[in-house]
C-alpha cells in the first residue's frame, strides 16, 4: 500500500416538526458523491519469476486506481421529553450504496514492459495484463442507529450521552473489476464487524448567546487483525472534542467543533496468503491519529 484517499461530499436537506411539547420528529434525504484514489506497489519480480527468473522485489511497478460515483440514502429521528429537564433522542441513518467507476493505470520497469510485450506476441494471457483500463467497484457505507440523552443540571450546565451502532459487517470485501478481460479481478477481504460507540459530554452556557462544549468517546475498531491492511489502518480509538455555539441573530446560530482521534494501541497487520500481495504474507504494526474540523449553521423556524 502506498496512498489511499476517500473523499465523500454529502448533501443532506432535512426538516423537523414539533408535534407536541414532548415530541418532535424529523427526516432528511442524502445525496453523496464519493471520489477515491488507491495506489500500491506491484512485485513484478515475483510475478515474472516463473517466466524469466527475476528475483522477488527486483522489478517493482505501481498500480493507480481512480474512481468516483454517487449514492443516495435517508435519515430520520424522534426527540422525546419525558421530563421537564430530560430529553431523549433516537435516530437512524440508512446505508448508502456507491457504484464507483474510473480508470486503472499501471507503471512498470523496462524489463517488465519488454517481457509483457514478448508474452503478448506469444499469445500468453499475462502479456495483455497490466495495461491501462477502466475499472469498476462498489462500496456500501453502512447504516447506523443512535440513542442519546441530555440532562439539564442547572440553567447553565447540561450533561449529554449517546450510543451509536454501526452495521460495519456490510463491508466484507473490496473488489476491483477491470474492463480489460486479461486483468484479473483484485479482491481484498475486509470482513469488518459491527461496532457500538459510546460518547459523553458536557455543555456550559457562558451567556445568553454562547455555549461551550466538551466531549469524549470510545470507538472500537470494526477491523480484524487477520484481515486488516495497510491501505485501511485502524485500531480501537478515543475521541476528544471541543465545540462552541453562538447565536448570530434570533433563530440563527453558528457552531464550531474540533475533534482529535488517537489510537489506544498500535494497529497490527497479519495477512497470510493475501491475494493483493503476490510476494506473500504481510505483517507489522502502525500508529495513527486524526483531526476533524466542523462548522454548522442552524436556523429554527
Amino acid at each position: 500500500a502506498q496512498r489511499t484517499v476517500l473523499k465523500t461530499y454529502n448533501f443532506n436537506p432535512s426538516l423537523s416538526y414539533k408535534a407536541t411539547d414532548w415530541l418532535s420528529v424529523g427526516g432528511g434525504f442524502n445525496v453523496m458523491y464519493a471520489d477515491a484514489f488507491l495506489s500500491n506497489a506491484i512485485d513484478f519480480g515475483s510475478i515474472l519469476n516463473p517466466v524469466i527468473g527475476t528475483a522477488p522485489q527486483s522489478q517493482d511497478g505501481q498500480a493507480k486506481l481512480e474512481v468516483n460515483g454517487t449514492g443516495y440514502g435517508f435519515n430520520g429521528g424522534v426527540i422525546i421529553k419525558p421530563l421537564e429537564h430530560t430529553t431523549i433522542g433516537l435516530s437512524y441513518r440508512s446505508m448508502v450504496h456507491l457504484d464507483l467507476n474510473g480508470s486503472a493505470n499501471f507503471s512498470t520497469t523496462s524489463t517488465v514492459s519488454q517481457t509483457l510485450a514478448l508474452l503478448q506476441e506469444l499469445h500468453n494471457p499475462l502479456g495483455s495484463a497490466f495495461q491501462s483500463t477502466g475499472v469498476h467497484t462498489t462500496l456500501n457505507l453502512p447504516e447506523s442507529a443512535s440513542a442519546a440523552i441530555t440532562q439539564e443540571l442547572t440553567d447553565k450546565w447540561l450533561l449529554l450521552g449517546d450510543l451509536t451502532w454501526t452495521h460495519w459487517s456490510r463491508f466484507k470485501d473490496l473488489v476491483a473489476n477491470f474492463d480489460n478481460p486479461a486483468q484479473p479481478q483484485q479482491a481484498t477481504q475486509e470482513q469488518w464487524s459491527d461496532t457500538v460507540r459510546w460518547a459523553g459530554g458536557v455543555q456550559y452556557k457562558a451567556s445568553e448567546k454562547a455555549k461551550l462544549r466538551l466531549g469524549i468517546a470510545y470507538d472500537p475498531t470494526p477491523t480484524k487483525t487477520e484481515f486488516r491492511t495497510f491501505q485501511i489502518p485502524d485500531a480501537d480509538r478515543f475521541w476528544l472534542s471541543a465545540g462552541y455555539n453562538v447565536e448570530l441573530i434570533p433563530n440563527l446560530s453558528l457552531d464550531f467543533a474540533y475533534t482529535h482521534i488517537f489510537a489506544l494501541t498500535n494497529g497490527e497487520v497479519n495477512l497470510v496468503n493475501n491475494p493483493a500481495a503476490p510476494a506473500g504474507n504481510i505483517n507489522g504494526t502502525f500508529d495513527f491519529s486524526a483531526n476533524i474540523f466542523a462548522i454548522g449553521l442552524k436556523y429554527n423556524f
Side-chain angles (χ1 to χ4, degrees), residues 162-202:
D162 79 68
L163 291 173
T164 299
W165 168 84
T166 305
H167 194 185
W168 277 120
S169 58
R170 284 193 179 277
F171 190 37
K172 298 187 181 300
D173 52 30
L174 190 59
V175 180
N177 295 292
F178 301 93
D179 293 348
N180 179 5
Q183 185 65 42
Q185 180 190 76
Q186 180 178 324
T188 304
Q189 292 294 312
E190 302 293 347
Q191 302 299 328
W192 284 20
S193 302
D194 297 342
T195 61
V196 176
R197 169 187 175 273
W198 64 261
V202 61

Side-chain angles (χ1 to χ4, degrees), residues 40-49 54-62 277-280:
N40 60 272
I42 303 175
D43 183 8
F44 283 108
S46 293
I47 294 173
L48 296 179
N49 175 267
T54 50
Q57 303 178 32
S58 66
Q59 299 290 330
D60 283 353
Q62 187 185 51

Side-chain angles (χ1 to χ4, degrees), residues 1-298:
Q2 293 178 329
R3 182 174 171 83
T4 304
V5 179
L6 173 62
K7 298 178 182 178
T8 60
Y9 304 86
N10 191 58
F11 178 65
N12 184 192
S14 58
L15 288 173
S16 62
Y17 174 69
K18 187 175 182 179
T20 68
D21 289 340
W22 58 271
L23 176 65
S24 298
V25 296
F29 178 69
N30 292 278
V31 180
M32 180 181 290
Y33 173 78
D35 189 7
F37 173 85
L38 298 172
S39 67
N40 60 272
I42 303 175
D43 183 8
F44 283 108
S46 293
I47 294 173
L48 296 179
N49 175 267
V51 181
I52 58 174
T54 50
Q57 303 178 32
S58 66
Q59 299 290 330
D60 283 353
Q62 187 185 51
K64 293 181 179 180
L65 277 66
E66 296 183 72
V67 293
N68 57 70
T70 303
Y72 306 92
F74 66 90
N75 60 285
V78 298
I79 294 177
I80 305 168
K81 286 186 67 71
L83 300 171
E84 182 180 357
H85 300 293
T86 305
T87 303
I88 297 172
L90 303 172
S91 64
Y92 175 82
R93 183 170 291 273
S94 75
M95 179 191 75
V96 175
H97 175 79
L98 294 165
D99 279 307
L100 304 173
N101 295 279
S103 61
N105 296 286
F106 300 90
S107 58
T108 63
T109 67
S110 58
T111 298
V112 173
S113 297
Q114 293 169 8
T115 303
L116 293 176
L118 177 60
L119 290 174
Q120 191 170 23
E121 291 180 4
L122 297 174
H123 304 290
N124 186 312
L126 183 60
S128 299
F130 304 107
Q131 308 293 324
S132 295
T133 181
V135 64
H136 169 259
T137 188
T138 61
L139 180 63
N140 291 324
L141 297 184
E143 64 268 47
S144 62
S146 296
I149 186 170
T150 65
Q151 178 65 49
E152 295 180 27
L153 300 179
T154 69
D155 291 341
K156 290 183 176 294
W157 290 96
L158 181 70
L159 291 179
L160 309 95
D162 79 68
L163 291 173
T164 299
W165 168 84
T166 305
H167 194 185
W168 277 120
S169 58
R170 284 193 179 277
F171 190 37
K172 298 187 181 300
D173 52 30
L174 190 59
V175 180
N177 295 292
F178 301 93
D179 293 348
N180 179 5
Q183 185 65 42
Q185 180 190 76
Q186 180 178 324
T188 304
Q189 292 294 312
E190 302 293 347
Q191 302 299 328
W192 284 20
S193 302
D194 297 342
T195 61
V196 176
R197 169 187 175 273
W198 64 261
V202 61
Q203 175 180 279
Y204 174 68
K205 188 176 180 180
S207 69
E208 290 300 317
K209 294 187 176 182
K211 300 181 182 73
L212 300 174
R213 296 169 178 144
L214 293 173
I216 186 172
Y218 171 66
D219 195 7
T221 178
T223 63
K224 303 173 184 176
T225 301
E226 63 269 29
F227 294 105
R228 191 178 299 131
T229 70
F230 286 105
Q231 280 186 321
I232 311 178
D234 200 14
D236 294 340
R237 52 198 178 269
F238 264 114
W239 298 46
L240 294 177
S241 304
Y244 177 70
N245 168 269
V246 60
E247 182 181 324
L248 302 177
I249 59 175
N251 298 325
L252 181 66
S253 63
L254 185 65
D255 281 283
F256 299 94
Y258 166 72
T259 296
H260 179 73
I261 302 175
F262 60 93
L264 295 179
T265 61
N266 286 344
E268 294 184 15
V269 173
N270 186 22
L271 292 170
V272 178
N273 297 323
N274 176 24
N281 305 334
I282 301 176
N283 58 69
T285 61
F286 57 83
D287 57 74
F288 73 92
S289 62
N291 295 291
I292 300 173
F293 300 89
I295 183 170
L297 192 65
K298 182 173 70 175

